[in-house]
Amino acid sequence: MSTLVIADHDNASLQPATFNTVAAAQKIGGDIHVLVAGNGAQAAAQAASHIAGIAKVLHVDAPHLAGFTAENVAAVIVPIVKSGGYTHVLAPATGFGKNVMPRVAAMLDVAQISEIVVVESADTFVRPIYAGSVLATVRSADPIKVITVRATGFDAAAATGGSATVESIAGAPDTGLSKVTGQELSKSERPELTSARVVVSGGRGVGSAENFKLLEALAAKLNAAMGASRAAVDAGYVPNDYQVGQTGKIVAPDLYVAVGISGAIQHLAGMKDSKVIVAINKDPEAPIFQIADYGLVGDLFQIVPDLTAALG
Amino acid sequence: MKVLVAVKRVVDYNVKVRVKPDGSGVDTANVKMSMNPFDEIAIEEAVRLKEKGIATEIVAVSCGLAACQETLRTGLALGADRAILVETDVDLQPLAVAKLLQAVVAKEQPKLVILGKQAIDDDANQTGQMLAALLGWPQGTYASKIDIAGGRATIKREVDGGLETIEISLPAIVTADLRLNEPRYATLPNIMKAKKKPMETVTPAALGVDVTPRLTTLKVVEPPKRKGGGKVADVAELVAKLRNEAKVI
Ligand SMILES: Cc1cc2nc3c(=O)[nH]c(=O)nc-3n(C[C@H](O)[C@H](O)[C@H](O)COP(=O)(O)OP(=O)(O)OC[C@H]3O[C@@H](n4cnc5c(N)ncnc54)[C@H](O)[C@@H]3O)c2cc1C
Ligand SMILES: Nc1ncnc2c1ncn2[C@@H]1O[C@H](COP(=O)(O)O)[C@@H](O)[C@H]1O
């Protein structure tokens, strides 16, 4: 039994969810190799070699992997899985992993098991369905298990302590199917949403992009990442990458502050495993209060500035 | 060009689902069913492509029980021209659906297949990518904008850091994200017209596809309920509690 973990990285460093994915691989057992496929990704490959418990890092570098397109990355992964005889292929359930892994699974003619949160055994896993309202335990009969891992289900593997060898290997050529031609990445001074210790999220109640500055000020005090409900994103108050929920990002910080968010199940799906939840909402009946540890009923335009000030 | 749209019948997003007492699955008896919301967006995008003169025909496809006919009728009322039901009682998993769609694509030869990014029941987020792999086509997943010109598609995608633009050749697979468009409602005249639009039924066997599930669901449970409902009176109490009780600030 051996596992190939597909690293999500930006060539320079590994995305945090990669470490949680290694932790899931450790629960499965057997040798763990990490594949770093990119363009000029030496630093990311080095970082992977330091993760505790890794036997080997495979590094594939090529200009056509610069965009991390699913077509080219899957074409690299599949022959490595076949020749390496891996029984498990794991990637984090990030935008990258979700895009690439089903393509890998279909090329291998196996099912994919999406967003596992528990490893029960080498072939049995728990995953949330129906916006997290239900947890399903599923067993795979396929010879190769292709899996995406929900980072919040596993404590990150240690980033240091390992000294795996880095093996540079050649990868599949450019498929020529897809090309990344542009990026509009949202710039923020705030920490990254899915790995932050504190998250401040705003909903439709915040009312405008301008008003989100109130939340920014609070987030700055708390050294928090910024998040949002779908309604706030749809209304254009904040960029799409702020969305927390069933079809957005899944977060489980130590502290989640929900401001002007009603608490629809699709939103709760993305944050209900947070350690402590604070809700600020003027409607005492808002469903968000049912899951909040500390609910404060009132006008956010009063409360948020007061709270920011009180945090000195 | 011909556009194929895959639509799934799912438990309506407003329904609070319940686990069957024996833990074998989710209770879907007497529960409101609807078209997967992302698939409404997929249909809408196809209709807009037709209104722009880019798409010439829209074929809606659904795989599953005979009841998926309702979902297909909704698709026809929203603007699809005809529908194909791949009928089976087997519990279909994404790989099986992708193979069925691959077989339909082989017959229909569309230039573009639009799917939803994710079905809100299984939350798999797989079928479009799998179909693209089986066909050897490019995939424009999580699309928030589609431009088609000169045999190529330019897709703006929602990614973890913001937005990314890719250029792919046609034929291609696109999966719809929430911000691709705002779907229209079916009007009464269009619902009436939809009843007369053609709907064809085929079986997985006729398409030569083995749909045997690869995954077995051993049990389903409701997650432990979070103990919430605590209230604080004011900001001062909130700050004190976060500092001294929760110790998170
Ligand atoms: C397919 C699908 C996928 C979805 N995916 C997601 C997802 O991933 N994430 C997500 O969040 N949603 C998702 N949704 C949407 C979800 O169903 C809700 O519509 C959404 O979460 C509501 O956002 P909201 O709470 O900001 O807005 P609303 O429900 O409108 O709530 C606004 C809240 O603000 C409060 N408020 C207003 N003014 C003030 C004030 N001055 N002070 C204090 N409080 C105030 C109101 O009392 C209200 O409770 C999805 C829906 C569908 C159909
Ligand atoms: N049984 C089905 N019939 C038709 N389309 C489907 C079916 N299952 C999934 N799809 C399509 O695939 C998309 C993604 O579904 P999933 O991979 O299950 O999350 C859906 O939004 C549909 O467009």
Side-chain angles (χ1 to χ4, degrees):
Chain A
M1 205 166 63
S2 59
T3 297
L4 184 66
V5 169
I6 314 300
D8 185 355
H9 65 94
D10 63 2
N11 293 316
S13 60
L14 300 171
Q15 298 299 334
T18 302
F19 298 97
N20 309 77
T21 305
V22 170
Q26 287 166 343
K27 293 244 156 90
I28 292 169
D31 269 0
I32 303 171
H33 298 174
V34 177
L35 172 67
V36 176
N39 182 35
Q42 285 77 10
Q46 279 305 321
S49 73
H50 297 142
I51 304 176
I54 300 299
K56 186 159 74 177
V57 174
L58 301 174
H59 175 201
V60 178
D61 223 271
H64 69 267
L65 297 174
F68 304 106
T69 63
E71 294 81 352
N72 284 348
V73 175
V76 166
I77 294 171
V78 170
I80 292 175
V81 171
K82 284 183 178 164
S83 65
Y86 295 99
T87 53
H88 295 74
V89 189
L90 270 60
T94 53
F96 164 80
K98 293 194 242 191
N99 188 35
V100 171
M101 293 299 267
R103 197 164 176 111
V104 170
M107 288 165 80
L108 294 168
D109 191 27
V110 299
Q112 175 182 295
I113 309 156
S114 295
E115 306 228 10
I116 64 162
V117 291
V118 176
V119 173
E120 297 240 306
S121 72
D123 67 1
T124 305
F125 310 91
V126 179
R127 56 176 306 260
I129 53 175
Y130 289 92
S133 313
V134 179
L135 293 172
T137 305
V138 296
R139 184 164 62 206
S140 164
D142 284 320
I144 304 172
K145 278 75 175 161
V146 172
I147 292 170
T148 62
V149 175
R150 182 173 287 193
T152 55
F154 301 88
D155 289 331
T160 56
S163 55
T165 54
V166 178
E167 200 177 300
S168 282
I169 55 171
D174 192 355
T175 59
L177 290 173
S178 172
K179 207 169 82 201
V180 177
T181 55
Q183 278 186 328
E184 295 162 47
L185 301 185
S186 20
K187 285 185 196 65
S188 168
E189 272 144 44
R190 307 261 43 88
E192 195 272 324
L193 176 55
T194 56
S195 53
R197 215 184 58 78
V198 181
V199 172
V200 173
S201 264
R204 200 197 309 269
V206 178
S208 69
E210 183 65 24
N211 292 345
F212 251 85
K213 288 189 182 142
L214 291 175
L215 272 62
E216 287 271 358
L218 174 60
K221 278 276 169 67
L222 291 166
N223 192 25
M226 292 289 296
S229 71
R230 173 192 173 181
V233 176
D234 282 3
Y237 304 164
V238 287
N240 62 279
D241 51 294
Y242 280 41
Q243 184 178 315
V244 170
Q246 178 188 17
T247 60
K249 287 181 178 153
I250 309 291
V251 303
D254 288 348
L255 173 61
Y256 188 90
V257 185
V259 183
I261 292 177
S262 62
I265 181 165
Q266 292 84 6
H267 187 77
L268 304 188
M271 45 66 78
K272 69 180 160 59
D273 292 328
S274 303
K275 209 165 117 205
V276 174
I277 296 174
V278 169
I280 299 167
N281 196 303
K282 68 177 181 190
D283 172 10
E285 302 300 320
I288 190 79
F289 287 125
Q290 291 166 21
I291 63 143
D293 301 282
Y294 304 110
L296 185 45
V297 179
D299 183 6
L300 72 91
F301 297 106
Q302 192 88 56
I303 293 170
V304 172
D306 283 358
L307 179 57
T308 308
L311 292 169
Chain B
M1 72 181 189
K2 193 192 279 188
V3 179
L4 207 78
V5 183
V7 296
K8 186 177 188 187
R9 176 174 178 267
V10 298
V11 173
D12 187 84
Y13 81 97
N14 269 315
V15 170
K16 196 182 172 318
V17 297
R18 301 211 181 281
V19 168
K20 286 187 202 158
D22 67 357
S24 64
V26 163
D27 198 350
T28 52
N30 305 314
V31 164
K32 184 180 177 205
M33 305 295 286
S34 300
M35 183 186 291
N36 183 43
F38 288 98
D39 306 352
E40 286 180 20
I41 299 172
I43 290 267
E44 174 68 28
E45 196 62 20
V47 173
R48 291 187 189 188
L49 287 172
K50 197 174 168 197
E51 287 167 351
K52 282 190 210 146
I54 295 168
T56 48
E57 189 188 22
I58 303 168
V59 183
V61 186
S62 192
C63 312
L65 302 172
C68 296
Q69 285 176 18
E70 277 171 49
T71 316
L72 287 168
R73 287 289 166 211
T74 305
L76 294 170
L78 291 170
D81 297 297
R82 59 191 174 86
I84 300 173
L85 169 65
V86 184
E87 193 180 339
T88 172
D89 295 342
V90 176
D91 167 40
L92 293 174
Q93 293 170 355
L95 183 62
V97 176
K99 288 182 176 182
L100 293 172
L101 294 174
Q102 178 191 20
V104 174
V105 165
K107 274 174 61 176
E108 293 287 337
Q109 301 282 318
K111 270 273 186 285
L112 183 68
V113 184
I114 314 182
L115 303 88
K117 95 162 174 185
Q118 176 173 336
I120 60 163
D121 50 1
D122 64 19
D123 282 334
N125 192 335
Q126 299 175 9
T127 309
Q129 298 89 311
M130 287 182 157
L131 176 60
L134 296 174
L135 292 165
W137 290 5
Q139 62 188 56
T141 50
Y142 322 140
S144 72
K145 193 167 187 291
I146 303 176
D147 283 305
I148 291 179
R152 300 186 71 77
T154 306
I155 314 280
K156 201 171 259 191
R157 310 178 55 232
E158 295 203 355
V159 296
D160 288 345
L163 292 165
E164 171 183 284
T165 307
I166 59 169
E167 224 185 89
I168 55 181
S169 50
L170 297 180
I173 302 296
V174 169
T175 74
D177 214 321
L178 292 169
R179 262 98 24 201
L180 183 57
N181 61 52
E182 224 177 288
R184 70 196 66 189
Y185 291 98
T187 61
L188 196 56
N190 284 342
I191 293 172
M192 300 312 290
K193 262 199 270 173
K195 293 188 173 150
K196 297 203 191 72
K197 290 185 179 174
M199 189 180 310
E200 177 193 344
T201 301
V202 294
T203 61
L207 293 173
V209 176
D210 177 4
V211 292
T212 313
R214 305 292 185 87
L215 304 175
T216 313
T217 300
L218 302 180
K219 65 168 184 197
V220 302
V221 295
E222 282 177 22
K225 285 263 174 304
R226 200 186 161 95
K227 205 163 92 279
K231 290 266 169 63
V232 290
D234 52 28
V235 165
E237 189 188 347
L238 176 61
V239 173
K241 287 255 164 83
L242 290 177
R243 280 211 175 108
N244 308 323
E245 193 176 83
K247 298 188 166 58
V248 285
I249 59 170

